[in-house]
């Protein structure tokens, strides 16, 4: 009923920039907080950045100052602007949204399938 689709993953050189987008679609009454996670091979899935419904943000220490998370509530989209990319940023990046599909229904967790970001020379 609710789908999250990430886009924008690519191969980029160290120091480069990349912009990831996540589009939420389906039956959506409201979206609470949204977030980007990432998972490198053999590693756990870690929180990269999150943004509340009111626009408050927080970031993992490893990306603070380099990444910016934003959202467009009218379009139900989430964006991660990534600058000064490092090889250790290489991972599959996943979009997460906490969504209420209908009025009076509880919120549920939704995940995208991920988009690959590779930072390499």
């Amino acid at each position: 009923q609710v789908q999250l689709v990430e886009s924008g993953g690519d191969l980029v050189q160290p120091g480069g920039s990349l912009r990831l987008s996540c589009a939420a679609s389906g039956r959506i009454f409201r979206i609470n907080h949204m977030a980007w996670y990432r998972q490198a091979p053999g590693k756990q899935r870690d929180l990269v950045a999150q943004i509340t419904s009111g626009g408050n943000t927080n970031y993992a220490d490893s990306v603070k100052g380099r990444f910016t998370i934003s959202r467009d509530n009218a379009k139900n989209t989430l964006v991660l602007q990534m600058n000064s990319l490092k090889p250790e940023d290489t991972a599959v990046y996943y979009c997460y949204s906490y969504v209420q599909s209908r009025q009076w229904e509880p919120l549920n967790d939704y995940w995208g399938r991920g988009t690959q970001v590779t930072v390499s020379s």
Side-chain angles (χ1 to χ4, degrees):
Q1 295 182 358
V2 177
Q3 297 84 39
L4 304 179
V5 180
E6 302 96 337
S7 62
D10 205 351
L11 171 65
V12 65
Q13 292 186 327
S17 297
L18 209 57
R19 183 177 183 270
L20 305 183
S21 296
C22 171
S25 62
R27 185 161 37 246
I28 300 172
F29 175 66
R30 69 180 181 95
I31 302 177
N32 198 325
H33 72 273
M34 307 178 78
W36 287 98
Y37 287 75
R38 68 186 182 187
Q39 186 169 26
K43 306 293 184 180
Q44 67 180 27
R45 185 175 298 187
D46 293 327
L47 176 67
V48 177
Q50 59 183 318
I51 183 167
T52 69
S53 60
N56 293 321
T57 61
N58 62 78
Y59 299 88
D61 288 340
S62 59
V63 307
K64 193 172 299 181
R66 300 187 297 120
F67 291 9
T68 302
I69 188 171
S70 61
R71 64 191 288 172
D72 186 333
N73 292 330
K75 298 179 179 179
N76 290 331
T77 58
L78 178 71
V79 170
L80 184 67
Q81 178 65 47
M82 304 184 293
N83 299 323
S84 301
L85 283 162
K86 304 175 180 179
E88 51 263 45
D89 295 319
T90 296
V92 177
Y93 284 70
Y94 297 91
C95 177
Y96 165 86
S97 294
Y98 195 42
V99 180
Q100 187 175 22
S101 293
R102 298 178 177 89
Q103 192 174 10
W104 311 116
E105 293 291 317
L107 293 100
N108 290 294
D109 300 307
Y110 292 94
W111 292 90
R113 295 195 63 183
T115 184
Q116 177 70 51
V117 172
T118 302
V119 184
S120 176
S121 299

